[in-house]
């Protein structure tokens, strides 16, 4: 079965072609240069740029896969969560194409795509624990045996990537700033600045990053002579420890033995190292997809769509984009 996937939830336009769940092509057009000067994604500009990119990106994906439109058996597109103007571009293009070709269409939850990105690499047994950390998301999920998902915990304010980006802005490092902070932190003392590890009262698996950003600002004001490398390393350590401790508690709650970490922030070496240590301590297996599958892309969307399309499922062409689209209910521990 040949599936075309389309992704346009934020600022990257993606198209990918899979044959029986295996990637034939995975093309992404980035808008980093468009949004960089603004220090964050400008929704209006993102939607307009998706319009420019979506058809050429689909054509390139078909070309690279050596597949013609007539060969496509089904189409999957991201329906949420994300920026509505952005989502609508990919979703409407995918629906129009499905209608024109007379093939089934499915709308995919972007977060399910992230969690399944690992499945393009290796067979992953469920249940597994998934940490999705990007510029827009920081949340922990349980992917269950029956294909359903539960939300274990999520950020109450900024996403981890957003925290990196805001800290980078404060330190004058440009946007997006996660990579710049990591590079700067390499030569720094991660214990130089004392920063809080915010916990959310009454929800042990939820996270919070906005207080950290304020504390960083106050720390820099109080110690202007501190080398930037020390500041960056201390900040990175605080974010990484917050993510690792939430994941540790999630392992304790669920007893999961497989951990998947994905999203743009999973590029961070300190986070990968810390997660590897956590997995070892907890006797769990850590799975991190290669970076090109961790950041927003359409192969993960096509894969999630393929799981439904191959069962003969489809969505009506009236399916709408949804900005806030939960992947599942809150996790409730077994009463047994
Ligand atoms: O998944 P992604 O490419 O896009 C979405 O947000 O959907 O993630 C981008 C985020 C940005 O916030 C960026 O600063 C962060 O991932 N990031 C990093 C690193 N590389 C990218 N954060 C920390 N360390 C990195 N090496
Ligand atoms: Zn994403």
């Amino acid at each position: 079965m040949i599936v075309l996937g389309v992704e346009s939830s934020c600022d990257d336009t993606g198209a990918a072609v899979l044959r029986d769940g295996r990637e034939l092509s995975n093309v992404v057009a980035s808008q980093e240069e468009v949004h960089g000067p603004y220090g964050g994604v400008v929704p209006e500009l993102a939607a307009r740029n998706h319009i420019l990119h979506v058809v050429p990106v689909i054509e390139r994906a078909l070309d690279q896969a050596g597949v013609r439109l007539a060969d496509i058996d089904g189409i999957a597109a991201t329906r949420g969560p994300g920026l509505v103007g952005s989502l609508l571009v990919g979703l409407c293009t995918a629906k129009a194409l499905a209608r024109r070709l007379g093939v089934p269409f499915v709308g995919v939850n972007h977060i399910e795509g992230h969690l399944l990105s690992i499945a393009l690499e290796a067979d992953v047994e469920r249940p597994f624990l998934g940490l999705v950390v990007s510029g827009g998301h920081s949340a922990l999920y349980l992917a269950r045996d029956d294909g359903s998902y539960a939300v274990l915990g999520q950020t109450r304010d900024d996403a981890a990537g957003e925290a990196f980006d805001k800290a980078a802005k404060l330190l004058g490092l440009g946007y997006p700033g996660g990579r710049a902070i990591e590079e700067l932190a390499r030569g720094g003392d991660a214990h130089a600045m004392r920063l809080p590890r915010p916990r959310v009262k009454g929800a042990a698996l939820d996270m919070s990053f906005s207080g950290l950003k304020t504390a960083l600002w106050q720390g820099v004001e109080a110690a202007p002579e501190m080398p930037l490398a020390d500041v960056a390393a201390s900040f990175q350590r605080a974010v990484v420890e917050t993510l690792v401790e939430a994941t540790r508690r999630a392992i304790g709650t669920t007893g999961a033995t497989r951990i998947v970490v994905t999203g743009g922030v999973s590029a961070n070496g300190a986070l990968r190292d810390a997660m590897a240590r956590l997995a070892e301590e907890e006797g769990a297996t850590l799975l991190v997809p290669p970076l090109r599958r961790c950041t927003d892309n359409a192969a993960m969307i096509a894969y999630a769509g393929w799981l439904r399309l191959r069962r003969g499922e489809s969505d009506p062409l009236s399916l709408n984009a949804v900005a806030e689209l939960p992947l599942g209910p809150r996790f409730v521990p077994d009463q047994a």
Side-chain angles (χ1 to χ4, degrees):
M1 177 177 227
I2 294 184
V3 174
L4 170 70
V6 181
E7 153 64 32
S8 68
S9 64
C10 188
D11 60 336
D12 291 320
T13 320
V17 179
L18 307 187
R19 177 184 280 128
D20 298 329
R22 298 185 74 104
E23 181 185 298
L24 298 182
S25 65
N26 190 12
V27 176
V28 180
S30 162
Q31 297 182 17
E32 218 169 275
E33 281 168 19
V34 174
H35 304 285
Y38 301 94
V41 176
V42 183
E44 168 80 13
L45 292 180
R48 286 173 183 273
N49 278 276
H50 284 305
I51 298 265
L52 296 179
H53 292 306
V54 71
V55 171
V57 163
I58 290 173
E59 283 174 343
R60 259 168 50 213
L62 292 171
D63 237 35
Q64 287 182 16
V67 158
R68 293 166 307 145
L69 274 178
D71 300 328
I72 293 172
D73 299 306
I75 301 184
T78 308
R79 70 175 292 230
L83 303 169
V84 162
S86 288
L87 288 164
L88 285 171
V89 177
L91 191 70
C92 289
T93 308
K95 291 199 293 185
L97 207 49
R99 163 92 189 174
R100 166 73 182 78
L101 298 172
V103 299
F105 156 83
V106 290
V108 170
N109 184 305
H110 179 80
I111 300 296
E112 182 178 23
H114 271 304
L115 291 171
L116 292 178
S117 56
I118 189 68
L120 285 156
E121 294 298 313
D123 290 335
V124 188
E125 260 180 72
R126 299 181 189 226
F128 67 80
L129 192 69
L131 173 67
V132 181
V133 268
S134 70
H137 311 281
S138 288
L140 281 155
Y141 300 89
L142 184 68
R144 295 191 167 113
D145 294 329
D146 63 0
S148 71
Y149 300 88
V151 183
L152 290 160
Q154 56 200 354
T155 180
R156 290 293 178 94
D157 37 61
D158 295 347
E162 194 179 356
F164 270 108
D165 293 339
K166 287 179 175 170
K169 196 169 176 181
L170 183 82
L171 303 178
L173 299 175
Y175 172 87
R179 201 180 319 135
I181 292 216
E182 179 176 12
E183 276 163 22
L184 192 57
R186 262 188 209 119
D189 173 5
H191 296 266
M193 185 181 281
R194 282 175 67 89
L195 291 168
R197 304 287 182 272
R199 288 280 291 269
V200 178
K201 271 206 189 102
L205 301 178
D206 278 355
M207 296 162 265
S208 165
F209 293 101
S210 69
L212 198 54
K213 178 190 61 196
T214 311
L216 180 77
W217 183 77
Q218 289 165 343
V220 170
E221 290 274 294
E225 74 295 343
M226 186 180 286
L228 273 190
D230 292 358
V231 177
S234 303
F235 179 78
Q236 175 173 268
R237 176 170 158 247
V239 175
V240 166
E241 284 184 8
T242 301
L243 293 171
V244 167
E245 289 317 312
T247 308
R248 191 191 302 279
R249 293 192 293 275
I251 294 172
T253 305
T254 58
T257 56
R258 285 167 288 269
I259 313 164
V260 172
V261 181
T262 186
V265 181
S266 69
N268 188 279
L271 177 63
R272 284 175 180 240
D273 292 349
M275 282 291 175
R277 280 196 299 278
L278 170 71
E280 204 178 321
E281 285 160 20
E282 300 289 332
T285 308
L286 176 68
L287 300 145
V288 187
L291 189 57
R292 68 183 194 90
R293 295 205 204 281
C294 284
T295 51
D296 287 351
N297 69 91
M300 66 187 196
I301 302 303
Y303 188 90
W306 171 67
L307 293 184
R308 289 186 56 209
L309 287 163
R310 69 174 178 171
R311 292 199 298 262
E313 292 176 29
S314 66
D315 286 322
L317 292 180
S318 56
L319 191 84
N320 213 340
V322 186
E324 308 267 339
L325 184 65
L327 182 57
R330 272 272 174 175
F331 175 77
V332 183
D334 281 343
Q335 302 301 313

